[in-house]
Structures are given as C-alpha cells and as structure tokens.
Amino acid sequence: MRHEEDLHLLTGAYALDALTGDEYQAFTAHLERCASCAGEVAGFTATSARLAAAVAVPAPPHLKRQVLHHIDSVRQLPPRTRSGTPAKLTAVFTRKAGPFVVAASIAAATAFGGLSLWQHQQAEHARDQARQVSRQVQDITTVLAAPDARTVHGRTSTGAVTSVVASARQNKAVFVTTGLPAAPAGHTYQLWFDDHGTMRPAGLLQHDGAVLMHGGPSQARAVGLTLEPAGGSPQPTTSPLLLLPLPA
C-alpha cells in the first residue's frame, strides 16, 4: 500500500486504467477527497481520448468518386453464352476485332493499374500516419504511467491551462495544454527547456493536446513556451508565454 503522498503520483496511471488491486482501491478512495488529483485525471483522460481518436484514419472522401469514375470508363466483359455460330465465322470476327480488344484491354489495365497504384499509395500513407501516431501515444503513455512521474501545473499568459509530467528515471517529459489558441498563420508554439538560464529547444506544437518534449529534462529547471516563426527558432525571439518550474 502506498503512503498518502505517493497516491498523488498515480493520476496518469489511473487515467490509463493501469492500476489494479489494492493500489486501485486506495487511489479511488483518495480521488474522492482530492480535487487536485481529480482535475489531473480529467485532463489526462481527455488527452488520451484525443490521442486514441487520432489513430483512426478514415478513407479519403474522394475515393468513391475516383473508383466510380474509372469503372465507368472501362467496358465490362460480356457474359459467357453457348453459341451456335460456326467456328469459321467466330475466327473471322476474332481477327477483325482483335486490335480493338487489345486496345480495350490495354486501356482497362492502365486505368485499373493507375487506380491500384493510387489506392496503394493512399493506404500506405494512412498506415504510416497511424504508425507514427501510435508511437507518439505509446511514448506519452509510458511517461504518464511511470511510477516516478511528477506533475506541475500552470497557466500561459493567454489563460491556457498547462501541465508538465516528468519522469526522472526515463529522463522524459510530456507537455499537456488545454485552451491554447491556434497559432497565428506563419507562426508556431515552441517548447523550451530552461537549463539554468540557457534555453534549449524542446519541440513544436500548434494547438491543444499532449506532446512528448524533445530531449531530456534532467539538466533543466523549468519549461518555457513561446510563439515563434513557423519551423521554430534556435533561441526564443519573443517573451515567454509560460515559464513553469519542473517538478522536483
């Protein structure tokens, strides 16, 4: 059984259904009387739901139109029938129609070959996106559920609610924000590690959600957030929207 102060560290694991047995019972009882943990659990639960939803990749809306367009442009084969047509007449017809049949076959192969290639490329792109998002979700989940995870909360100068979850054992940190306005055109939000006065780039974000920060937090004393030109900057070019001390 964990001590009462240790229960505050289980919000991420609880939100991800990673607690069992006595630990689950103890934290459930603790959650009923701890408003701070209840707020963290709500935030982590919403974030994990958004990340899970991002893994689903719907089919492109124009796929059906593309398929129907190619189907209409290719002549279907006639049904097989028993015919009493003399063999000689059939042979003559085959010789006469041969070039047209070949041309139609080439056209059909080209159309369906192009469609098949396009579908393969779209499917592969979707699979790549799903794999990338899945890896991101797994990386974030690992930090949130870490036994030594520590969490601090803050607000940006625009009023957005933020949290930083850090694991010293993994030397990783996750930045979570809610209520962050979309970055203006041509700009992006950039995260920083404050290494005792030296600002180190730690990743980019455009909107709400959770992101695994680039680099380790072991040498940092705080996390910063600024608005930078698209693509980011090697050093901050604007006043920080947030400078949040990392959890001890």
Side-chain angles (χ1 to χ4, degrees), residues 12 24 41 49 91 97 101 108 143 150 155 166 188 192 195 203 218 220:
Y24 173 82
V41 167
V101 173
V143 177
R150 299 291 189 273
R155 284 184 179 271
T188 186
W192 307 88
D195 294 339
S218 60

Side-chain angles (χ1 to χ4, degrees), residues 222-247:
V223 166
L225 179 70
T226 61
L227 187 64
E228 302 294 335
S233 304
Q235 292 294 326
T237 63
T238 61
S239 299
L241 303 172
L242 171 78
L243 193 60
L244 185 64
L246 279 171

Side-chain angles (χ1 to χ4, degrees), residues 3-240:
H3 296 293
E4 185 71 17
E5 59 268 21
D6 293 334
L7 293 173
H8 295 287
L9 308 178
L10 299 179
T11 51
Y14 179 84
L16 297 171
D17 294 325
L19 299 183
T20 58
D22 292 341
E23 204 168 43
Y24 173 82
Q25 297 296 335
F27 184 79
T28 301
H30 168 78
L31 194 61
E32 294 178 354
R33 60 180 182 273
C34 182
S36 175
C37 285
E40 285 189 22
V41 167
F44 288 149
T45 301
T47 298
S48 61
R50 287 195 295 269
L51 291 171
V55 178
V57 181
H62 55 281
L63 179 59
K64 180 178 179 180
R65 295 194 303 270
Q66 192 81 6
V67 172
L68 292 177
H69 171 75
H70 286 291
I71 288 176
D72 291 340
S73 65
V74 177
R75 183 179 178 182
Q76 295 183 2
L77 293 176
R80 292 184 177 182
T81 59
R82 295 183 179 274
S83 173
T85 305
K88 185 175 180 180
L89 179 59
T90 302
V92 172
F93 175 79
T94 301
R95 288 195 299 272
K96 295 290 186 179
F100 298 100
V101 173
V102 172
S105 299
I106 293 175
T110 302
F112 281 105
L115 177 60
S116 177
L117 176 61
W118 179 85
Q119 290 175 323
H120 174 75
Q121 291 172 339
Q122 292 295 313
E124 190 62 32
H125 178 65
R127 282 193 291 269
D128 287 342
Q129 286 184 319
R131 283 192 291 264
Q132 182 178 359
V133 172
S134 180
R135 285 193 297 269
Q136 292 172 351
V137 171
Q138 183 177 0
D139 290 341
I140 291 172
T141 299
T142 300
V143 177
L144 296 184
D148 68 329
R150 299 291 189 273
T151 306
V152 291
H153 306 285
R155 284 184 179 271
T156 69
S157 59
T158 60
V161 178
T162 64
S163 299
V164 175
V165 184
S167 168
R169 186 177 303 172
Q170 298 181 23
N171 194 26
K172 293 180 180 180
V174 171
F175 184 83
V176 185
T177 180
T178 303
L180 189 68
H187 293 78
T188 186
Y189 292 106
Q190 186 162 358
L191 293 165
W192 307 88
F193 281 123
D194 179 1
D195 294 339
H196 299 275
T198 301
M199 303 303 285
R200 171 166 46 102
L204 308 176
L205 66 156
Q206 289 291 330
H207 44 65
D208 280 351
V211 60
L212 182 70
M213 300 182 68
H214 297 175
S218 60
Q219 303 300 318
R221 67 178 183 182
V223 166
L225 179 70
T226 61
L227 187 64
E228 302 294 335
S233 304
Q235 292 294 326
T237 63
T238 61
S239 299

